[in-house]
Amino acid sequence: MPITEVKNAEDLSPEAVLARATAARGDIFPEWKPLAYASPKTYHLINQTVSYLHGYHGQEATSEQLSGPMRELIAIPALCSKGDLRHAPNHVRRAYRLGLTNRALFEGAAAYASVVGWSSMTFMSLAIMEANHPLYPYGQLPAGGEPRELTPFPEMTMGRARADTANESLADAPEWRYASSIDPELVRRAAAFIDHCLVADGVKDVILGPGPRELIAIAALCTRGEVEIAVGHIRRAYAYGMTRRHVLEAICCVLPMTGVVTGQLGLRAMQLADAQHASR
């Protein structure tokens, strides 16, 4: 890196910090400016971290890392689950620029909804509507709005074949087998929805296979502190060929919305999953 660029990266004046953030994202929300002027180092560190987590300009991904589109398929449902209709549409527009279609966005939202509930998907609809509204001022909307054709990204071909055989339906979980003794119809309907969202009912005509969908569900579980349940989903992700780095990056995609503690809980779940594998 040229010396001038290093020097600029070390400049913690509010103007320099804001300029770097704008260059990384393309634009910034005005509410960040008071923070930048009051505590420029705080905003500098936020921008440095989020640029890495979400793969903004200047952060080059490798073949071992999650792609930009996949990161958005985790981040946008996380924002929508919080009802954040100020920032989510901006991310939708970025997803459009990366070549994601509404169908892809809803597949990601469905995987997230398997944990947080399907009402979160209505906020995805609202975020899409807002992103396509000409008066929404943040982020560039591609000409014509939503891409007509999906631009392929690496995760579309990952995680479609399981390395072992296992019962994957929610109905096979001990808790839901117990519930079935009380109300089998409830279990049938609940399991049908979750199995559909996580492709436990067999890979069909889907954009995201079971592996990538598990990455989204794992991130959602960690936001809720469900370490024990996350372990089972991590093991399923591994069975579909997802790596530890994939899992860690998926969890970290939601840190800006939920805090670094989410990452710590996710790492705890990963360690437990590793320990279970080693003991087998």
Side-chain angles (χ1 to χ4, degrees), residues 14-182:
E15 293 77 13
V17 170
L18 286 166
R20 288 197 297 272
T22 303
R25 290 183 54 91
D27 63 356
I28 59 172
F29 287 88
E31 54 264 36
W32 288 114
K33 293 182 179 179
L35 171 62
Y37 280 98
S39 182
K41 185 172 182 179
T42 301
Y43 185 50
H44 165 74
L45 292 173
I46 289 171
N47 187 59
Q48 287 288 98
T49 306
V50 77
S51 292
Y52 184 80
L53 295 177
H54 288 172
Y56 291 147
H57 177 71
Q59 300 291 339
E60 297 296 332
T62 69
S63 59
E64 298 178 353
Q65 295 175 280
L66 296 181
S67 68
M70 188 65 207
R71 292 170 193 264
E72 288 296 349
L73 289 173
I74 301 169
I76 297 173
L79 286 166
C80 291
S81 73
K82 297 173 71 67
D84 188 342
L85 293 178
R86 179 169 175 80
H87 299 93
N90 177 270
H91 280 261
V92 170
R93 287 186 172 184
R94 181 172 188 253
Y96 284 170
R97 296 196 302 272
L98 291 171
L100 291 176
T101 59
N102 286 347
R103 179 185 170 188
L105 292 176
F106 276 114
E107 285 199 12
Y112 209 90
S114 71
V115 175
V116 304
W118 53 70
S119 63
S120 66
M121 298 181 72
T122 66
F123 284 91
M124 176 62 82
S125 292
L126 290 170
I128 287 171
M129 292 164 65
E130 186 70 8
N132 281 282
H133 197 289
L135 294 182
Y136 180 76
Y138 304 112
Q140 182 180 359
L141 183 67
E146 177 201 5
R148 288 189 174 88
E149 294 185 7
L150 178 68
T151 300
F153 55 97
E155 290 80 9
M156 289 173 60
T157 60
M158 294 180 182
R160 289 180 172 264
R162 183 163 180 144
D164 57 15
T165 57
N167 294 326
E168 296 193 325
S169 174
L170 181 74
D172 293 320
E175 300 87 347
W176 290 97
R177 287 202 299 269
Y178 169 76
S180 187
S181 68
I182 303 170

